[in-house]
Amino acid sequence: MVRLTGMEGIGTKYELETSKGDKIAVVFLLNRRVQLYIQEKGCEKPCSIEMSENESKRLATILSGAPVEKEKESIEVDFMGIPDLTLALHTYTVGRSMAGKTIEELAIRKRTGVNVIAVSRKGNTIISPPPHLIFEEDDQIVVIGNKDQIERFEKEILGA
Amino acid sequence: MEIAIAGLVCLIFAIIARKLSFPAIPVYIIAGLALGSSGFGILQADEVSKKIAEFGVVFLLFYIGLHINPREVGAKRKTIFASGFYDLLINFALVFILLFATGFELSRAFIIASSLYISSSAIVLQSLIENRKLILKEAEIVVWMMVFEDIVIAILIVLNSVGFSDLLYFFAKLTLFTVLVLILSNTAPKYLDRVMERDDEAPLLLVFSAGLLGLAIEELFQIPYAFAAILIGLMFSQVKSVEEMVIPFKDVFLILFFFFFGVSTKFDMGGLALGIVLAIVAISGKVVSGLLTGLRTEKSWKSGLEIGLNTIARGEFSIFMAFAFGDVLISSAITVTVLITSILGSLTSRYSERIISALGRASQ
């Protein structure tokens, strides 16, 4: 059960108590920094750290169990209202095997179930690329799907 | 030229204060005192610096209004009231009665009580963040207490400004203005949002002029600018990204206000003595009201002490009261009180845990 509190003039606080009774609080400050508090059950004094926005995103990635590798940064999104829905967003760099082909040709969605939602090429971003878009080597692409679909994508399309 | 020197002096002091994790507000005032008429007399306040100080005040009040989000206040009214009730009762009502009983005339007792009542949101919230207390229940109560005080500020300003001959006409005007702003609050944010979404200089200009609008309203309609600025802030509290945009303006002008307030403050011994007495009242008042609040909401004196020790610092609003309504004696007394409570309050907030556990051991 997550408790959300708006703290006027400070930011937003999310609190979570684990089934073992440990307490965790995350506070998103107005200056975009993030404070994380951990309080062991029965311990008077909580411990805390403060991190930048980027550091907190990396931590979130690690906590969600997704592998973080240099070439494959990803985030997983959980929705509070739908507890069993986890969306994974991954970024990949287009290699030789995909270059010169279109999304349609590769039949990405049919074969793997993932959707390519953005392509970044030399600093320009194309959101929701059309199926006839031809990939070029070194394009950065963002794909969305669930864990299984992403794994299939890595095996079928990237590994091809 | 004075403004540039002031800015640079404040810059140096700000860096030093940060390094020592010391509250910045008293530092700016002390810097102003040292360079102004009470100290070395290097700087004088002139027309331009007075205007800049006024900008600081009007931005501060606009910012206070910005933090009163009517919808949120409505939804949380029980919590806010429970957090702020004893604070108002002891630090305003009781102090006011005490001052009146010891021979202060009504209007001066009212000004001093108002200044002693309002904690410094800036110092208090900053301390909560820096001392890593945000996980605590008490931190939430302190935040709501600040919101409650912000709401009372609007009322105090109106009551303090009642120096007008024609009371009925004055209140009719105020009521009309308030109703107008509240009606606009329902429709205007839609259109204001549209301006704020632009990526040119329009949002900046909108926020800057909205912040200063209170001054214009005072000149046009003789409605106290402080009250007008709070209400305009209230209207903008539902418009997105106004807050982050107004902070730079507010910070710069408000820092200069503190500095030039220090520059123009005439110090006298009577003020110093009174200030020390008021500081003692101010500190014990917040500790007692914190204790009562903690006992009521958390059923624990330790919680209460935590709340009390975190709300001792007085600052921006007390200085504004001294600037807008105080005479020489009150101004210097309140300055002394602010200096003492803001410095001590930062320390009590930092070491609250040790103080509470020491008291816990002593009581066993």
Side-chain angles (χ1 to χ4, degrees):
Chain A
M1 186 60 218
V2 177
R3 177 170 166 262
L4 185 155
T5 322
M7 297 175 92
E8 200 54 66
I10 289 182
T12 317
K13 171 158 99 170
Y14 293 85
E15 283 169 293
L16 183 104
E17 189 163 334
T18 64
S19 52
K20 288 214 164 72
D22 296 332
K23 277 203 187 81
I24 301 164
V26 179
V27 186
F28 292 91
L29 300 173
L30 292 174
N31 63 4
R32 304 200 162 243
R33 293 183 71 76
V34 180
Q35 286 190 350
L36 173 72
Y37 292 81
I38 299 169
Q39 189 170 20
E40 204 181 327
K41 187 183 177 181
C43 179
E44 281 274 307
K45 195 173 159 41
C47 283
S48 71
I49 50 162
E50 191 172 302
M51 19 180 193
S52 70
E53 210 177 1
N54 280 337
E55 288 161 341
S56 71
K57 281 192 177 134
R58 294 186 87 90
L59 175 67
T61 313
I62 295 165
L63 286 174
S64 65
V68 186
E69 290 166 38
K70 216 177 151 107
E71 284 294 291
K72 305 184 201 166
E73 287 278 353
S74 76
I75 47 174
E76 292 203 355
V77 190
D78 287 302
F79 296 92
M80 286 191 187
I82 321 172
D84 53 0
L85 173 67
T86 301
L87 281 178
L89 286 156
H90 269 255
T91 63
Y92 298 101
T93 308
V94 171
R96 284 240 177 105
S97 62
M98 282 171 69
K101 296 181 180 149
T102 64
I103 297 178
E104 212 165 11
E105 251 176 277
L106 291 162
I108 294 175
R109 196 161 79 186
K110 212 155 81 193
R111 285 162 61 193
T112 68
V114 309
N115 264 313
V116 180
I117 54 168
V119 177
S120 166
R121 181 176 297 167
K122 299 182 185 90
N124 297 321
T125 318
I126 308 155
I127 306 269
S128 303
H132 57 262
L133 180 111
I134 304 167
F135 289 119
E136 291 177 14
E137 203 168 338
D138 293 330
D139 281 356
Q140 294 282 339
I141 59 169
V142 183
V143 304
I144 189 164
N146 66 25
K147 262 204 174 110
D148 302 346
Q149 293 169 332
I150 296 276
E151 267 170 37
R152 213 171 309 142
F153 173 80
E154 288 180 8
K155 218 168 60 210
E156 294 256 339
I157 309 282
L158 293 179
Chain B
M1 156 158 132
E2 268 88 1
I3 307 287
I5 292 176
L8 289 171
V9 170
C10 289
L11 164 74
I12 293 163
F13 277 91
I15 293 171
I16 296 170
R18 263 271 168 260
K19 260 213 152 39
L20 305 171
S21 56
F22 201 78
I25 293 173
V27 173
Y28 300 134
I29 299 170
I30 292 168
L33 284 170
L35 296 181
S37 45
S38 308
F40 298 114
I42 299 167
L43 288 179
Q44 306 283 321
D46 59 6
E47 281 310 305
V48 179
S49 64
K50 277 201 188 95
K51 251 295 159 272
I52 297 255
E54 209 169 44
F55 279 19
V57 168
V58 81
F59 270 116
L60 165 72
L61 294 153
F62 174 79
Y63 189 74
I64 288 174
L66 212 53
H67 279 264
I68 308 173
N69 189 329
R71 263 181 229 158
E72 198 163 355
V73 170
K76 287 265 179 194
R77 57 185 180 274
K78 278 203 180 104
T79 321
I80 295 175
F81 184 79
S83 309
F85 172 73
Y86 285 115
D87 184 27
L88 178 69
L89 190 73
I90 287 166
N91 296 301
F92 182 76
L94 195 66
V95 169
F96 176 62
I97 292 166
L98 270 178
L99 288 164
F100 190 60
T102 48
F104 282 87
E105 54 195 275
L106 215 63
S107 63
R108 297 177 88 199
F110 198 88
I111 292 163
I112 297 173
S114 305
S115 325
L116 290 197
Y117 163 50
I118 305 288
S119 296
S120 166
S121 293
I123 298 175
V124 168
L125 299 182
Q126 195 56 38
S127 297
L128 287 179
I129 296 172
E130 277 177 10
N131 301 321
R132 307 286 175 88
K133 296 193 173 183
L134 302 178
I135 192 174
L136 305 176
K137 236 13 230 126
E138 292 85 356
E140 285 172 38
I141 294 167
V142 169
V143 169
W144 293 124
M145 196 186 276
M146 297 301 117
V147 173
F148 185 93
E149 286 184 5
D150 284 349
I151 298 167
V152 179
I153 283 176
I155 303 163
L156 291 179
I157 287 172
V158 172
L159 293 174
N160 265 310
S161 321
V162 181
F164 294 73
S165 51
D166 204 339
L167 270 188
L168 198 66
Y169 172 64
F170 175 67
F171 272 109
K173 217 162 45 175
L174 272 193
T175 314
L176 186 68
F177 176 71
T178 311
V179 169
L180 258 176
V181 169
L182 291 178
I183 291 171
L184 275 175
S185 295
N186 283 331
T187 51
K190 273 207 303 274
Y191 303 103
L192 295 171
D193 268 342
R194 244 178 257 171
V195 177
M196 293 303 293
E197 278 161 11
R198 297 170 63 102
D199 51 9
D200 51 10
E201 58 273 57
L204 273 176
L205 287 168
L206 172 68
V207 168
F208 184 75
S209 15
L212 294 178
L213 200 57
L215 293 171
I217 285 177
E218 167 153 285
E219 273 175 43
L220 290 170
F221 308 109
Q222 287 78 50
I223 288 169
Y225 71 86
F227 180 73
I230 288 186
L231 273 188
I232 295 163
L234 197 108
M235 183 165 101
F236 274 80
S237 69
Q238 319 209 20
V239 182
K240 47 173 169 279
S241 55
V242 169
E243 183 175 350
E244 55 221 54
M245 213 169 267
V246 82
I247 284 175
F249 293 129
K250 178 206 70 153
D251 282 348
V252 168
F253 287 118
L254 194 58
I255 288 167
L256 290 171
F257 163 67
F258 292 136
F259 180 83
F260 281 111
F261 178 82
V263 167
S264 57
T265 296
K266 301 260 187 305
F267 240 83
D268 64 86
M269 280 336 236
L272 184 69
L274 178 62
I276 292 170
V277 174
L278 292 180
I280 295 166
V281 173
I283 292 166
S284 37
K286 286 284 171 177
V287 171
V288 173
S289 68
L291 268 173
L292 291 171
T293 309
L295 284 170
R296 176 177 164 170
T297 53
E298 301 296 304
K299 310 277 179 288
S300 129
W301 66 268
K302 283 187 176 176
S303 282
L305 210 50
E306 182 69 60
I307 295 165
L309 293 173
N310 273 298
T311 49
I312 285 171
R314 311 297 200 280
E316 57 276 29
F317 182 76
S318 312
I319 295 291
F320 158 72
M321 289 296 291
F323 164 83
F325 305 106
D327 50 31
V328 173
L329 174 75
I330 289 183
S331 282
S332 43
I334 288 175
T335 308
V336 172
T337 310
V338 167
L339 293 179
I340 295 174
T341 54
S342 58
I343 292 166
L344 250 169
S346 306
L347 293 172
T348 53
S349 168
R350 197 177 309 165
Y351 299 115
S352 65
E353 213 180 314
R354 288 188 207 178
I355 298 171
I356 291 166
S357 59
L359 281 171
R361 278 198 301 275
S363 68
Q364 277 162 15

